[in-house]
Amino acid sequence: MKSTFDLSKEEMKTYGYKIIDILVDHFDTLESKQPVHTASREKMDRIFLQEAPNKATSADEVLDFVMKNVMPYAALTSHPKSYSFVPGPSNYISTLADTLATGFNIFSGGWVGSPAAAELEIVTMNWLLKMFGFPVTKGGGIFTSGGSMANLTALVTARRVKCGDDFSKAVIYLSDQAHSSNIKAIRVLGFKKEQIRIIPTDLEFKISFNKLKNAIAKDKLEGNKPFCILASAGTTNTGTVDPLGAIADICEKENLWFHVDGAYGGAAILSKKGSALLKGIERADSLTVDPHKWFFQPYEIGCLLVKDSSWLSSTFSEKPEYLRDIEGNESEINFYDYGIQLTRRFRALKFYMSIKTYGLNAFKEAIAYNIDLAEETEDILRKSKEWEIVSPATLAVINFRYHPLGLELSEKELDALNQEISRRVVASKEALLVTTILQNQVVLRMCLINPKTSIEDVKETFLQCTTFAKEILSEWKK
Ligand SMILES: Cc1ncc(COP(=O)(O)O)c(C=O)c1O
């Protein structure tokens, strides 16, 4: 039987070129679009809710329907005015690399499945190991779907290496600014609440070192088994880097696993200012970096690096009889032995092709530009009588609030004002600028990791914010 899924060569070409034209147009016109596109569940149901259709529909018709109804309802996280969460700037080469990897449906699990895919993962992992000062021969790593999976993979490994099978008394330490994916990972691992120490942060949002040391000492006195400290290298809220060198010292002294979550901030190692801030990262046992953030890759690609690749293989290797024939020899890595997934998409390809095509210098320049852009943004805000910096530009993240000089407002009113500014900006669809909470204050947050964002974009958004602020204040007066 001729496969039901086959299209003629001409049909494939016509369909394929149509999609390429759409993509090229998207990249070409991105800046003239709006970043915010949202809809209610009710509206989405109205458009999409139906039973699985038994009958075929023409490919063109389905594509037209998707272009009309799917793509317009997604925030454009690569838009220059998409400032919130951690944006996804992406790039065109990697987009098409992903298409190639999917098109060939390359299995990136065992060596024999695709030696080239495994080799590219080894090679790109070596690039990353070198960037972060990890040993290239002994070290290793794996690409994951994102930072959450990289953190989970790290913590499984840390527990296996440090505790073996008995982790009933094991305790892990992280700050109240650590990313939520870490708490999720700890929960997935089955730790009880009593085994997790959330250490408060200081005024700069760094883990309180004294409190961390106290907690470890107290746990030891109580017969618990401290096994891991999780530090942030670029917290999501403020870009803060925990004191990595000092934490590495305690980990060494107390024989604890040192995991660094550098999901968004790690990439800053490629810049002079960033590498100074990230000093000590090279002493981690494991490190999460997320290429689909500040390495400008499209979703999904996260990465876990470890000092010793045997920690991964001793944690994740299983040797079922049905995989016997796709095993390589000792030096030929089966990435299914390094993590949770067996069948894996070929993530290394986009990382490889984009770095080869653009050159590492392009990445370095973009990251340095982003850090400078955030500093310039801070400068503008500091010189203004209307704005107050709540957390200064750090690794391209900055937090601030509208708080004009001489304006008598309570903290509650300031919170409401800044929340409403954000709501109106987002409702205008001109910029994606949402709030976070720092030290009980509602603040506006920008994560400026998109090289397409210009200082003019930022100024336009501030102008929009101040216009809304004045509108709100005059409405309040009435
Ligand atoms: C510091 C940090 N860690 C982990 C994550 C989770 O990464 P992902 O969303 O790729 O799973 C994020 C996401 O923003 C993050 O900022």
Side-chain angles (χ1 to χ4, degrees):
M1 168 185 163
K2 183 177 175 293
S3 164
T4 331
F5 304 116
D6 285 347
L7 272 69
S8 74
K9 203 168 158 187
E10 274 320 303
E11 282 169 333
M12 283 195 284
K13 277 193 180 172
T14 313
Y15 191 69
Y17 293 151
K18 199 166 166 186
I19 292 184
I20 287 292
D21 284 344
I22 290 169
L23 275 179
V24 171
D25 189 56
H26 173 70
F27 272 81
D28 190 45
T29 58
L30 181 64
E31 279 143 78
S32 63
K33 294 181 183 170
Q34 291 177 320
V36 180
H37 301 265
T38 187
S40 65
R41 173 67 195 263
E42 211 186 355
K43 179 166 184 184
M44 293 291 94
D45 276 357
R46 227 181 302 125
I47 298 175
F48 297 111
L49 213 57
Q50 67 168 133
E51 296 298 321
N54 278 323
K55 281 216 209 118
T57 310
S58 90
D60 271 344
E61 202 179 311
V62 176
L63 181 57
D64 290 346
F65 176 80
V66 164
M67 288 316 299
K68 182 163 171 260
N69 297 299
V70 178
M71 295 310 166
Y73 295 107
L76 298 178
T77 64
S78 40
H79 189 280
K81 286 187 181 168
S82 187
Y83 305 111
S84 293
F85 316 110
V86 178
S90 192
N91 74 81
Y92 187 71
I93 294 291
S94 294
T95 304
L96 290 205
D98 253 356
T99 310
L100 265 181
T102 304
F104 279 72
N105 203 20
I106 288 170
F107 172 83
S108 214
W111 180 268
V112 177
S114 171
E119 182 66 19
L120 284 198
E121 191 151 354
I122 294 169
V123 167
T124 47
M125 212 51 73
N126 287 348
W127 294 351
L128 285 159
L129 289 166
K130 207 164 156 223
M131 269 176 219
F132 288 99
F134 275 41
V136 171
T137 34
K138 201 164 177 221
I142 182 166
F143 287 125
T144 59
S145 54
S148 303
M149 280 303 289
N151 284 330
L152 175 63
T153 310
L155 297 184
V156 178
T157 310
R159 186 173 73 179
R160 179 91 195 153
V161 172
K162 289 295 182 196
C163 311
D165 288 330
D166 180 11
F167 45 85
S168 53
K169 292 261 168 206
V171 178
I172 182 164
Y173 305 81
L174 65 166
S175 91
D176 60 20
Q177 291 294 310
H179 189 265
S180 55
S181 60
N182 295 297
I183 289 293
K184 276 198 206 176
I186 291 167
R187 209 177 291 148
V188 170
L189 286 169
F191 284 114
K192 299 192 196 98
K193 241 169 67 197
E194 309 84 81
Q195 295 177 281
I196 311 163
R197 302 284 172 269
I198 308 285
I199 309 294
T201 42
D202 62 19
L203 288 175
E204 291 182 321
F205 307 99
K206 289 183 186 169
I207 193 166
S208 161
F209 195 57
N210 183 45
K211 292 194 170 112
L212 173 65
K213 287 208 294 196
N214 283 346
I216 294 170
K218 193 159 162 270
D219 273 320
K220 282 170 58 184
L221 288 172
E222 286 176 345
N224 293 322
K225 188 178 181 308
F227 85 100
C228 176
I229 303 178
L230 190 152
S232 302
T235 61
T236 318
N237 261 340
T238 58
T240 302
V241 181
D242 283 329
L244 302 178
I247 295 175
D249 288 343
I250 319 186
C251 287
E252 251 170 51
K253 185 164 158 254
E254 304 282 353
N255 188 25
L256 308 181
W257 186 279
F258 180 24
H259 177 61
V260 174
D261 179 0
Y264 110 82
I269 199 85
L270 287 180
S271 71
K272 219 165 155 192
K273 288 176 185 167
S275 66
L277 268 179
L278 294 170
K279 204 163 173 305
I281 205 166
E282 70 288 348
R283 294 177 64 194
D285 292 307
S286 57
L287 167 66
T288 289
V289 284
D290 225 353
H292 67 200
K293 296 187 165 71
W294 214 352
F295 278 105
F296 315 114
Q297 302 300 311
Y299 309 131
E300 302 181 348
I301 180 170
C303 173
L304 174 67
L305 298 174
V306 290
K307 275 278 160 59
D308 183 339
S309 60
S310 73
W311 293 335
L312 292 178
S313 49
S314 65
T315 304
F316 293 103
S317 266
E318 285 295 329
K319 300 284 169 207
E321 62 288 357
Y322 40 80
L323 292 180
R324 270 183 342 136
D325 294 344
I326 60 163
E327 290 259 325
N329 64 33
E330 275 285 285
S331 70
E332 296 168 348
I333 295 173
N334 302 300
F335 277 92
Y336 57 59
D337 281 338
Y338 274 24
I340 296 162
Q341 268 185 288
L342 167 57
T343 302
R344 309 168 62 241
R345 58 179 289 111
F346 184 13
R347 299 188 176 99
L349 187 65
K350 56 183 162 185
F351 196 67
Y352 178 78
M353 284 178 72
S354 56
I355 290 187
K356 283 267 277 195
T357 307
Y358 298 116
L360 202 51
N361 280 344
F363 289 75
K364 291 179 182 170
E365 281 161 22
I367 291 165
Y369 167 79
N370 291 141
I371 291 176
D372 289 346
L373 178 68
E375 288 176 1
E376 205 178 336
T377 301
E378 178 180 336
D379 209 39
I380 292 171
L381 294 173
R382 286 223 191 269
K383 286 181 183 146
S384 150
K385 289 184 177 158
E386 291 174 296
W387 294 99
E388 176 184 72
I389 302 280
V390 181
S391 169
T394 316
L395 296 183
V397 171
I398 180 162
N399 290 272
F400 49 90
R401 65 177 183 169
Y402 187 79
H403 186 188
L405 275 181
L407 183 71
E408 296 289 327
L409 287 179
S410 67
E411 281 298 319
K412 221 170 141 197
E413 287 166 329
L414 277 171
D415 284 353
L417 176 60
N418 282 278
Q419 190 69 60
E420 185 56 15
I421 292 171
S422 160
R423 198 194 64 72
R424 291 188 191 196
V425 170
V426 175
S428 80
K429 303 187 176 182
E430 290 298 315
L432 184 57
L433 180 71
V434 304
T435 65
T436 187
I437 294 191
L438 293 178
Q439 287 154 352
N440 298 320
Q441 295 175 338
V442 173
V443 300
L444 298 163
R445 172 182 169 282
M446 278 184 170
C447 179
L448 294 165
I449 63 164
N450 189 340
K452 282 191 201 299
T453 308
S454 67
I455 197 68
E456 280 69 37
D457 291 323
V458 171
K459 284 180 186 165
E460 276 170 25
T461 301
F462 287 152
L463 187 62
Q464 205 193 3
C465 288
T466 49
T467 309
F468 282 138
K470 282 169 190 155
E471 253 175 49
I472 299 161
L473 288 168
S474 80
E475 284 165 21
W476 283 1
K477 263 194 204 150
K478 283 179 196 158

